[in-house]
Amino acid sequence: MIVRIMGEGQFDVADVDSEVLQRYDNEVEDAVRSGDEEAVKSKLSALHDFVIEHGKPVSDDFLGTSDFVIPFVDASLEEISELLTGEGFIPDPA
């Protein structure tokens, strides 16, 4: 599974603990729903950090698409909201 962090690049998170990744994603979604921009930035930053620390950077010559897109940390609440699906940035596992 390839995740693109806008402005940061792509990361392969296939070997990342999906429950932890989903928890971070859900926390961002909950913060967006609350409308608390400070909480959104904090939770989004934590999601970014987790993906960058635990995912594997995808090489620049990779021609495939990203499965999911996560906005850059400084995105506005409106920009973040536009990228959210009904299940956060990363859909809940079936």
Side-chain angles (χ1 to χ4, degrees), residues 28-45:
V28 174
E29 186 177 18
D30 291 344
V32 169
R33 270 192 249 140
S34 77
D36 182 344
E37 194 157 355
E38 187 174 313
V40 171
K41 298 226 184 256
S42 172
K43 299 301 183 182
L44 185 57
S45 182

Side-chain angles (χ1 to χ4, degrees), residues 12-88:
D12 183 346
V13 293
D15 294 331
V16 170
D17 184 331
S18 61
E19 288 182 26
V20 175
L21 180 62
Q22 194 62 55
R23 186 179 73 232
Y24 280 109
D25 184 55
N26 291 342
E27 289 174 354
V28 174
E29 186 177 18
D30 291 344
V32 169
R33 270 192 249 140
S34 77
D36 182 344
E37 194 157 355
E38 187 174 313
V40 171
K41 298 226 184 256
S42 172
K43 299 301 183 182
L44 185 57
S45 182
L47 174 60
H48 280 180
D49 291 348
F50 180 79
V51 170
I52 290 169
E53 289 175 19
H54 299 283
K56 295 177 186 159
V58 174
S59 68
D60 291 337
D61 62 354
F62 175 71
L63 298 177
T65 61
S66 302
D67 296 301
F68 311 105
V69 177
I70 298 172
F72 51 93
V73 176
D74 292 333
S76 70
L77 186 56
E78 183 178 325
E79 291 168 323
I80 294 167
S81 296
E82 289 174 6
L83 288 173
L84 284 173
T85 66
E87 298 179 341

